[in-house]
């Protein structure tokens, strides 16, 4: 049984992590094609560092979920994050049948609200989330440096972009969703442009592409934040299944204090 | 020479070579015994599976969409996933067309799928109740205070539970464990509770997010259900009866648990184990002293005693403790130890303690995680993979008479078809329209996996977000969708269905009617196809076929072995009896006579020992038909369609077995007899010289 929508939001949250990338000084980057281990580690660390964000985040998100031989489904939702407190919230706005439904994540608790029933349901995180392949780690901030060993695999080209290619292997004893990752990082901007996720067996599970990144100044960070505007995820196991996530109208301003509560979500459905 | 004479010589040979006769005989007898007993056994199982399937879900024939992606399997795939059979647009028109066939008595629309209910853990339950109390128009201060006391007590119990064990619990990281300790201590402080009322929402959220996850109990209930016209379902499956609560009223949305599922999966774990032990002691005459299975259940109860003490409030704990000490004749102060002592039951005290549970403990615990009369938020996965939920009232539980204990017949709970359609997430025209609107807003092209790299051209270079004149305003005021509690019969019959059960006047016409329905569907463009119950039952239907096949292979091998041994021994006999045969030939015996001699010898062996084997098998079948074979464990209960399997002897089976024995005799004789026939008098004489 699959909850592909939740899955896509989970993957989105995973990518939302890079969403919060702060653009550090240009001086930190290396213009040369070849990297030594220390330089490779530095780049991945940079990606990690940018992902930690103390401010609030709000954006309007569109999701198009396509399953092979099925009519695609589209959703619109508001996504809110408060990284300082590890809080995350998705509030569906369209279509009508979904409007008002929400996921609220506080610490390790994942709550699901349906205005139709008016009840909150605890989604247990200890196992797979609601039958999806997503796990708790999908919700956490990206800790590539902490969880993976980086190996530089040379420079490459992705479309017109010059990229560094990295192979990341999970460190011993780290509980990660995917033990091996391949990352294509833009040499100029240091944004992830492509990410491949592999199972322990070496099988490619999912490929994600980030063709558009946007830069936005964050008051709380006193610096720029990079946001992927468009994410295209392809299910490599079930060919033909794909998800497009479009992030619009991002706002990095401070959100209401009491937003990440059940009461706030409930108040939206009358 | 007469046949009689040949028979006598053959019988003499049989008795002369006793050892050989005995070995071949035992194998033959075993084959016949196995054939009679095995077939009766497999027929018993497949018969039970057939009736428990056809009389609880499939009917005689099932129909579903002819353009279905998967083959219909009402029990889902082997891996537990549901089959995708698409849907048929209008039940009304299909039913109308089918009812013209005089063989068809009725058609019941259906849709089978899986759903889940997550009642949350016990603290979630109390916290949700407290939240409601705060939100209610008439706040009852005393009630709220009592609820708070209970929650505080529960938090203390959780703390006690985890004391010294934080490190053992692998689920928590060291940092999480340290934080959990701090949080539990915070809740234990007076000041946490002092300003509770003025800050209730935050306090409850703290408890729900920081303390409730420390109860490591997965409380999710998964179940299969059939969405149907409940009134028609009840009428057409005559064994259907309500056990608890009431029938879903006509035209009302509602849900009925299968009683077997309700008592085995929804009931309080300790209570249901006690029930099972009691049943096994009574029905199967098992004792706690001798049965490992029952001992394991007692052990599980002791280990899970938290299921009781976490549910009792402070006052209740005191009351129960007093009564328990009286029952056990002890003065134990520690309630947990006391409870564990009580739950360590033996044959001598089981009944007394069982009664005590229902009289003194059950009133204070949540005996069923879902109560009759509750409105369930039932969530399921739509065809598109998203999850949906409906509000649905649980009216009661039901069962099928004479299949009360069959897990197969107890597989499905029942709900109305209108709710199923909603849960299943049928794409409506309205939804398609909305999809188009959202897609237009997105304004993105579909790029296939192969051409995705085209997106990485210089023209899509990263850029600053230009402050937009006006970001899109999203209205965050949603209309709560109230699920209609009632529906009209028209709504029910006009809409879609996934599959349907067809009942026939005479079940022996299944194949003919399936053909007729399929032809009718083609000529009238109904878009359906018909399959037998066996096909519709998917792997369950195939299982009976497989069992028969495996048994027959086994019997076949044993009879083949017997045949080869007979042939071998006859061949040896032919060689040993060269002079005798040669002499017979010399005094004028025809080759035909020699052949007959061998054939009768084998026939005699086959009929005698085959008969003995078949008779023993039949005798055992008759005995087992009276006493029944007890099912040990869940798997056996599943296959036996109940706690015991009663065998029936089919007399024609014995004739069939005997006929097979004759065939073996004929086949096994051919080669040795042919060899013997070739022995010439001359050969025999030469040997003697």
């Amino acid at each position: 049984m699959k909850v592909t929508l939740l899955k896509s939001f989970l993957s989105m949250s995973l990518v939302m992590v890079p969403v919060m990338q702060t653009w550090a000084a240009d001086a930190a980057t290396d213009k040369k094609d070849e990297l030594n281990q220390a330089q490779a580690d530095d780049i991945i660390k940079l990606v990690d560092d940018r992902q930690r964000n103390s401010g609030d985040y709000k954006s309007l998100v569109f999701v198009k979920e396509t399953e092979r031989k099925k009519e695609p489904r589209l959703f619109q939702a508001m996504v809110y994050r408060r990284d300082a407190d590890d809080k995350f919230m998705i509030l569906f706005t369209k279509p009508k049948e979904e409007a008002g439904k929400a996921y609220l994540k506080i610490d390790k608790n994942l709550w699901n609200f349906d205005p139709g029933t008016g009840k909150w349901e605890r989604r247990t995180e200890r196992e797979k989330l609601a039958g999806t392949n997503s796990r708790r780690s999908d919700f956490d901030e990206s800790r590539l440096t902490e969880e993976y060993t980086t190996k530089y695999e040379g420079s490459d080209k992705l479309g017109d972009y010059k990229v560094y290619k990295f192979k990341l292997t999970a460190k011993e004893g780290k509980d990660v969703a995917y033990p091996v990752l391949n990352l294509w990082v833009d040499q100029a901007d240091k944004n992830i442009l492509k990410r491949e996720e592999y199972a322990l067996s070496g099988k490619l599970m999912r490929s994600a592409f980030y063709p558009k990144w946007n830069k936005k100044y964050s008051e709380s960070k006193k610096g720029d934040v990079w946001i992927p505007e468009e994410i295209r995820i392809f299910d490599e196991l079930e060919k033909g299944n794909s998800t497009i996530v479009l992030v619009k109208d991002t706002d990095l301003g401070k959100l209401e204090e009491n937003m990440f509560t059940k009461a706030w979500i409930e108040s939206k459905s009358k | 020479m007469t046949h009689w004479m040949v028979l006598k010589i053959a019988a003499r040979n049989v008795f002369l070579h006793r050892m050989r006769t005995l070995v071949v005989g035992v194998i033959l007898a075993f084959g016949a015994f196995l054939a009679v007993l095995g077939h009766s056994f497999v027929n018993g199982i497949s018969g039970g599976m057939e009736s428990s399937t056809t009389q609880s879900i499939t009917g005689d024939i099932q129909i579903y969409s002819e353009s279905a992606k998967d083959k219909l399997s009402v029990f889902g795939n082997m891996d537990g996933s549901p089959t995708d059979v698409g849907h048929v647009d209008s039940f009304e028109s299909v039913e109308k067309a089918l009812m013209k066939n005089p063989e068809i008595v009725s058609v019941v629309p259906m849709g089978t799928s899986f759903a889940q209910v997550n009642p949350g853990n016990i603290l979630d339950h109390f916290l949700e109740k407290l939240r409601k109390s705060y939100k209610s128009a008439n706040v009852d201060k005393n009630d709220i205070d009592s609820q708070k006391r209970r929650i505080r007590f529960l938090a203390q119990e959780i703390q006690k539970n985890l004391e010294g064990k934080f490190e053992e619990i692998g689920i928590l990281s060291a940092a999480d464990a340290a934080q959990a300790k701090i949080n539990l201590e915070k809740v234990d402080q007076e000041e946490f509770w002092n300003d509770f009322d003025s800050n209730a929402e935050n306090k409850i959220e703290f408890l729900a997010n920081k303390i409730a996850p420390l109860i490591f109990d997965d409380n999710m209930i998964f179940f299969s259900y059939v969405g149907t016209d409940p009134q028609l379902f009840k009428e057409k499956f005559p064994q259907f009866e309500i056990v608890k609560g009431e029938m879903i009223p006509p035209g009302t949305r509602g849900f009925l648990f299968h009683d077997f599922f309700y008592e085995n999966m929804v009931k309080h774990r300790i209570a249901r184990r006690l029930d099972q032990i009691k049943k096994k002691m009574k029905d199967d005459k098992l004792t706690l002293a001798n049965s490992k299975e029952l001992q394991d259940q007692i052990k599980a109860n002791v280990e899970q005693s938290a299921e009781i003490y976490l549910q009792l409030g402070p006052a209740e704990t005191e009351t129960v403790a007093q009564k328990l000490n009286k029952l056990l004749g002890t003065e134990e102060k520690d309630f947990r130890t006391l409870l564990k002592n009580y739950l360590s039951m033996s044959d001598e005290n089981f009944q007394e303690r069982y009664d005590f549970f229902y009289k003194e403990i059950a009133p204070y615990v949540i005996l069923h995680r879902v109560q009759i009369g509750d409105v369930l938020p039932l969530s399921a996965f739509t065809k598109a993979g998203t999850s949906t939920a409906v509000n649905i009232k649980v009216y009661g539980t039901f069962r099928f008479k004479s299949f009360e204990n069959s897990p197969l017949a107890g597989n499905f709970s029942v709900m109305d078809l209108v709710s199923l359609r909603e849960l299943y997430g049928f794409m409506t025209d309205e939804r398609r329209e909305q999809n188009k609107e959202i897609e237009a807003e997105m304004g993105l092209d579909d790029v296939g996996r192969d051409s995705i790299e085209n997106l990485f051209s210089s023209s899509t270079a990263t850029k600053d977000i230009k402050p937009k004149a006006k970001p899109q305003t999203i209205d965050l005021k949603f209309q709560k969708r109230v699920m209609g509690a009632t529906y009209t019969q028209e709504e029910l019959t006009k809409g879609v269905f996934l599959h349907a059960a067809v009942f026939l006047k005479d079940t022996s016409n299944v194949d003919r009617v399936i053909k007729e329905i399929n032809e009718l569907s083609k000529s009238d463009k109904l878009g359906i196809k018909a399959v037998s119950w066996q096909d519709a039952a998917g792997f369950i239907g195939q299982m009976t076929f497989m069992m028969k096949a495996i048994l027959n292979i086994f019997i076949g091998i044993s009879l083949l072995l017997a045949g080869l041994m007979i042939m071998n021994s006859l061949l040896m006999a032919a060689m040993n009896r060269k002079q005798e045969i040669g002499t017979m030939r010399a005094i004028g015996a025809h080759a035909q006579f020699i052949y007959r001699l061998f054939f009768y010898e084998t026939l005699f062996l086959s009929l005698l020992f085959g008969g003995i084997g078949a008779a023993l098998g039949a005798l055992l079948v008759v005995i087992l038909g009276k006493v029944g074979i007890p099912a040990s464990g869940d798997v056996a209960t599943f296959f036996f369609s109940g706690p015991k399997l009663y065998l029936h002897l089919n007399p024609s089976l014995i004739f069939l077995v005997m006929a097979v024995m004759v065939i073996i005799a004929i086949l096994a004789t051919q080669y040795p007899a042919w060899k013997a026939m070739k022995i010439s008098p001359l050969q025999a004489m030469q040997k003697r010289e």
Side-chain angles (χ1 to χ4, degrees):
Chain A
M1 241 181 282
K2 291 197 320 179
V3 188
T4 40
L5 182 75
L6 176 60
K7 199 158 134 187
S8 68
F9 270 110
L10 294 185
S11 26
M12 192 186 66
S13 85
L14 189 91
V15 218
M16 281 291 158
V17 181
V19 174
M20 300 294 174
Q21 295 191 359
T22 331
W23 180 229
D26 273 340
T29 63
D30 194 311
K31 298 288 176 197
K32 275 180 278 171
D33 272 8
E34 288 313 310
L35 301 174
N36 58 33
Q37 186 61 43
Q39 286 169 318
D41 287 344
D42 280 350
I43 290 180
I44 297 301
K45 192 165 179 294
L46 188 64
V47 169
D48 270 350
D49 290 342
R50 288 167 182 167
Q51 288 165 11
R52 274 184 274 280
N53 180 65
S54 54
D56 288 351
Y57 170 94
K58 175 175 104 173
S59 71
L60 175 64
V61 168
F62 291 83
V63 176
K64 182 178 179 182
E65 184 82 35
T66 310
E67 275 192 76
R68 203 166 64 95
K69 289 190 181 167
K70 280 182 184 167
E71 288 182 73
R73 300 215 151 212
L74 289 102
F75 303 88
Q76 188 199 59
M78 294 301 298
V79 173
Y80 305 90
R81 283 179 71 113
R82 177 164 290 158
D83 283 7
D85 296 347
D86 198 11
K87 285 174 177 166
F88 180 86
M89 186 163 81
I90 304 167
L91 178 62
F92 288 84
T93 49
K94 278 182 188 176
K96 263 190 269 177
E97 291 91 329
E98 308 293 329
K101 287 186 187 175
Y103 284 104
L104 172 64
K105 190 214 156 208
I106 299 174
D107 301 335
K108 306 280 190 252
N109 302 274
L110 178 63
W111 298 97
N112 176 235
F113 177 68
D114 188 317
T117 63
K119 289 193 181 177
W120 286 92
E121 212 185 339
R122 179 187 286 282
R123 293 284 166 98
T124 152
E125 273 196 279
R126 286 189 289 283
E127 306 153 353
K128 290 174 178 177
L129 289 167
T132 70
N133 286 323
S134 312
R135 291 196 282 173
R136 178 159 67 194
S137 56
D138 280 8
F139 269 103
D140 286 344
E141 280 187 316
S142 165
R143 299 191 185 99
L144 295 175
T145 304
E146 189 192 318
E147 292 174 339
Y148 293 90
T149 316
T150 305
K151 193 180 159 219
Y152 174 61
E153 297 229 307
S155 62
D156 198 355
K157 269 195 108 178
L158 192 66
D160 292 341
Y161 289 83
K162 283 183 89 180
V163 290
Y164 292 125
K165 214 180 142 190
F166 297 104
K167 183 178 187 154
L168 273 62
T169 314
K171 287 181 182 167
E172 189 100 358
K174 292 287 175 191
D175 179 29
V176 293
Y178 299 99
V180 178
L181 304 176
N182 278 350
L183 297 182
W184 283 256
V185 177
D186 185 354
Q187 290 194 5
D189 285 339
K190 307 293 185 293
N191 286 322
I192 294 177
L193 298 184
K194 180 180 174 185
R195 174 182 163 120
E196 283 181 349
E197 295 160 340
Y198 291 84
L200 197 61
S201 61
K203 199 167 177 55
L204 178 58
M205 309 295 280
R206 233 164 46 159
S207 299
F209 296 85
Y210 312 104
K212 280 186 189 169
W213 287 82
N214 280 319
K215 192 165 70 170
K216 189 152 196 190
Y217 183 74
S218 157
E219 196 56 50
S220 58
K221 289 292 282 185
K222 304 276 179 241
D224 283 339
V225 170
W226 284 80
I227 301 146
E229 189 184 89
E230 186 182 326
I231 305 153
R232 293 179 186 250
I233 303 163
F234 295 90
D235 187 335
E236 301 286 0
L237 275 190
E238 293 200 34
K239 298 278 182 193
N241 292 1
S242 67
T243 308
I244 303 177
V245 181
L246 192 65
V247 182
K248 279 189 172 178
D249 299 341
T250 309
D251 183 351
L252 302 178
K254 196 156 169 41
L255 297 169
E256 282 173 57
E257 198 48 51
N258 66 346
M259 265 187 77
F260 297 88
T261 56
K262 289 180 179 176
W264 189 86
I265 291 174
E266 281 172 357
S267 73
K268 297 298 155 196
S269 296
K270 293 285 173 200
Chain B
M1 211 177 291
T2 62
H3 285 283
W4 179 239
M5 176 89 79
V6 184
L7 201 58
K8 268 167 74 177
I9 299 172
R12 185 211 62 178
N13 283 339
V14 167
F15 288 108
L16 211 59
H17 304 97
R18 282 197 195 96
M19 203 52 209
R20 185 198 66 170
T21 303
L22 197 68
V23 172
V24 174
V26 166
I27 294 173
L28 276 170
F30 177 70
F33 174 81
L34 193 69
V36 172
L37 183 67
H39 270 282
S40 303
F41 185 71
V42 172
N43 284 340
I45 288 179
S46 64
M49 283 169 102
E50 174 174 348
S51 42
S52 55
T53 307
T54 56
Q55 292 173 40
S56 71
I57 184 78
T58 59
D60 302 317
I61 293 173
Q62 279 274 325
I63 53 166
Y64 64 108
S65 166
E66 64 177 356
S67 52
K69 192 176 148 206
D70 298 339
K71 271 175 82 175
L72 172 68
S73 172
V74 292
F75 294 103
N77 294 319
M78 278 295 254
D79 63 1
S81 60
T83 52
D84 182 0
V85 293
H87 65 269
V88 185
D89 279 332
S90 164
F91 176 68
E92 195 181 36
S93 54
V94 170
E95 186 195 27
K96 215 166 143 190
L98 291 186
M99 289 306 285
K100 283 183 193 150
N101 188 323
E103 276 297 328
I104 295 175
V105 182
S106 58
V107 187
V108 181
M110 290 177 171
T112 43
S113 196
F114 303 101
Q116 65 183 44
V117 173
N118 187 1
N121 66 40
I122 187 74
L123 184 52
D124 285 333
H125 175 87
F126 290 142
L127 289 172
E128 226 16 65
K129 196 174 156 202
L130 184 60
R131 260 187 103 217
K132 277 218 183 80
S133 302
Y134 273 113
K135 280 204 281 186
S136 99
N138 312 310
V139 177
D140 178 348
K141 181 88 177 59
N142 288 338
D143 177 50
I144 284 185
D145 283 345
S146 133
Q147 287 189 47
K148 280 188 327 205
R149 272 197 301 277
R150 190 188 190 107
I151 289 167
R152 189 173 178 181
F153 184 74
L154 179 52
Q156 285 163 348
E157 291 293 315
I158 295 170
Q159 195 175 15
K160 250 195 260 175
N161 234 5
L162 293 175
E163 209 127 286
K165 285 191 205 155
F166 276 99
E167 287 69 29
E168 285 171 33
I169 300 165
I171 305 160
L172 290 179
S173 68
D176 287 346
Q179 189 57 49
K181 263 187 207 171
I182 295 169
N183 292 337
L184 280 167
E185 274 156 25
K186 182 176 170 182
V187 173
D188 200 26
Q189 303 298 316
E190 209 53 55
E191 30 185 306
F192 180 85
W193 299 92
N194 286 344
D195 60 341
F196 202 100
D197 292 341
S198 58
N199 201 3
E201 190 69 49
N202 283 341
K203 298 275 179 184
I204 292 173
E205 293 234 349
F206 180 86
L207 289 164
N209 291 316
K210 311 282 184 191
I211 307 298
L214 299 174
I215 300 181
F216 298 98
D217 174 25
D218 284 320
N219 223 354
M220 198 91 84
I221 308 171
F222 290 95
F223 55 88
S224 303
Y225 64 88
V226 53
T228 183
D229 177 342
Q231 307 300 322
L232 194 63
F233 188 86
K234 180 181 175 222
E235 188 189 324
K236 297 305 169 191
F237 290 98
Q239 316 275 56
F240 180 99
E241 63 181 6
I242 293 290
V243 186
K244 299 183 181 81
E246 53 173 325
M247 179 63 190
I248 305 169
T252 310
R253 288 184 174 219
F255 187 86
L256 295 172
F257 269 113
H258 192 290
D259 200 60
F260 182 85
F261 185 86
Y262 193 67
E263 287 302 310
N264 283 286
M265 306 304 283
V266 185
K267 198 170 186 175
H268 190 281
R269 286 191 187 118
I270 290 180
R272 76 182 180 226
R273 279 197 205 102
L274 291 176
D275 290 348
Q276 282 162 2
I277 295 170
K278 191 182 173 197
K279 195 165 182 307
K280 296 243 158 158
M281 286 171 110
K282 184 169 167 270
D283 294 352
D284 302 340
K285 308 276 176 265
L286 296 183
T287 61
L288 284 168
N290 296 326
S291 163
K292 172 91 175 42
E293 189 191 345
L294 299 193
Q295 286 164 11
D296 286 346
Q297 284 185 308
I298 291 285
K299 222 160 110 191
N301 272 355
V302 175
E303 276 165 13
Q304 290 186 353
S305 54
E307 296 269 326
I308 294 177
Y309 64 71
L310 287 185
Q311 293 196 19
L312 302 183
E316 291 151 356
T317 303
E318 210 183 309
T319 316
V320 174
Q322 264 177 18
K323 289 183 175 161
L324 270 179
N325 268 325
K326 200 175 156 207
L327 176 82
L328 304 183
T330 57
E331 282 177 17
E332 178 60 57
K333 291 275 180 294
D334 181 46
F335 185 62
R336 294 175 182 211
T337 314
L338 186 59
L339 203 55
K340 281 186 177 167
N341 292 343
Y342 157 74
L343 288 169
S344 312
M345 302 180 186
S346 67
D347 288 307
E348 292 70 40
N349 59 32
F350 179 80
Q351 189 57 48
E352 187 188 14
R353 294 191 184 186
Y354 178 91
D355 294 340
F356 181 91
F357 179 85
Y358 278 99
K359 191 162 169 259
E360 308 293 355
I361 297 176
Y364 303 130
V365 296
I366 299 168
L367 206 51
H368 289 92
R369 287 184 281 167
V370 178
Q371 312 273 323
I372 308 293
D374 273 0
V375 176
L376 273 189
L378 195 133
S379 45
F381 303 98
T382 65
K383 261 177 96 179
T386 60
S387 79
T388 52
V390 291
N391 251 343
I392 195 160
K393 186 176 169 185
V394 181
Y395 277 91
T397 70
F398 73 98
R399 66 180 174 197
F400 297 100
K401 258 176 275 171
S402 69
F403 301 116
E404 292 89 347
N405 298 311
S406 160
L408 202 51
N411 190 54
F412 294 102
S413 292
V414 163
M415 75 161 87
D416 63 278
L417 188 56
V418 178
S419 298
L420 167 103
R421 286 178 191 146
E422 191 165 318
L423 267 183
Y424 209 63
F426 281 104
M427 184 76 98
T428 56
D429 289 341
E430 192 196 351
R431 181 73 192 260
R432 278 193 197 97
E433 273 311 305
Q434 293 190 64
N435 262 356
K436 271 189 206 155
E437 283 169 25
I438 303 171
E439 192 153 26
E441 274 185 71
M442 280 179 89
L444 279 184
D445 298 326
D446 263 337
V447 181
R449 175 75 181 83
D450 300 331
S451 49
I452 187 79
E453 293 192 5
N454 293 347
L455 289 175
F456 294 94
S457 69
S458 326
S459 58
T460 58
T462 51
K463 56 185 182 289
D464 291 293
I465 291 179
K466 300 278 176 285
K468 280 183 188 159
K470 205 178 168 193
Q472 202 171 340
T473 2
I474 303 296
D475 183 16
L476 293 184
K477 284 277 167 247
F478 309 111
Q479 282 298 313
K480 196 182 267 183
R481 285 187 317 134
V482 181
M483 313 283 170
T486 56
Y487 55 84
T488 60
Q489 194 58 26
E490 197 189 348
E491 198 181 335
L492 189 119
T493 53
K494 283 217 160 132
V496 303
F497 68 101
L498 309 192
H499 52 102
V502 178
F503 290 87
L504 306 185
K505 271 186 194 143
D506 179 356
T507 52
S508 60
N509 291 330
V510 164
D511 291 340
R512 181 166 63 86
V513 180
I514 287 178
K515 224 174 125 196
E516 285 168 5
I517 294 177
N518 288 335
E519 278 163 9
L520 180 75
S521 173
K522 271 198 194 108
S523 62
D524 287 19
K525 298 203 168 37
L526 294 177
I528 56 165
K529 64 178 161 194
V531 291
S532 67
W533 76 267
Q534 222 155 356
D535 286 335
F539 66 94
I540 300 284
Q542 285 158 15
M543 226 176 305
T544 58
F545 172 79
M546 285 293 289
M547 276 191 298
K548 278 187 183 165
I550 291 169
L551 179 79
N552 281 332
I553 290 171
F554 201 63
I555 293 170
I557 290 172
S558 106
L559 292 181
L560 182 74
L561 202 68
L564 286 173
M565 287 198 67
I566 293 171
M567 197 169 80
N568 187 42
S569 69
L570 284 180
L571 206 58
M572 299 274 284
M575 295 303 114
N576 289 339
R577 283 149 60 189
K578 256 188 186 171
Q579 296 143 1
E580 184 187 330
I581 294 165
T583 314
M584 282 183 192
R585 292 301 303 271
I587 58 172
H590 287 283
Q592 192 64 33
F593 171 81
I594 306 295
Y595 176 82
R596 248 188 248 154
L597 189 66
F598 276 76
F599 176 63
Y600 284 151
E601 196 177 321
T602 321
L603 190 66
F604 186 84
L605 265 179
S606 302
L607 290 179
L608 178 69
F609 288 99
I612 291 172
L616 283 176
L619 184 71
L620 195 58
V621 169
V622 171
I623 293 170
L624 291 176
K626 292 233 168 2
V627 298
I629 308 168
S632 59
D634 294 342
V635 178
T637 312
F638 175 81
F639 281 109
F640 290 6
S641 302
K644 272 187 175 181
L645 179 69
Y646 295 93
L647 302 186
H648 297 284
L649 184 65
N650 182 358
S652 60
L653 187 63
I654 297 175
F655 287 106
L656 187 74
V657 169
M658 296 317 281
V660 171
M661 292 293 149
V662 174
I663 293 168
I664 290 171
I666 295 171
L667 292 177
T669 312
Q670 299 307 311
Y671 182 65
W674 176 74
K675 274 291 230 195
M677 282 179 339
K678 277 179 43 183
I679 296 169
S680 66
L682 191 66
Q683 262 183 311
M685 309 285 273
Q686 278 170 345
K687 187 84 181 168
R688 184 172 285 180
E689 281 161 19

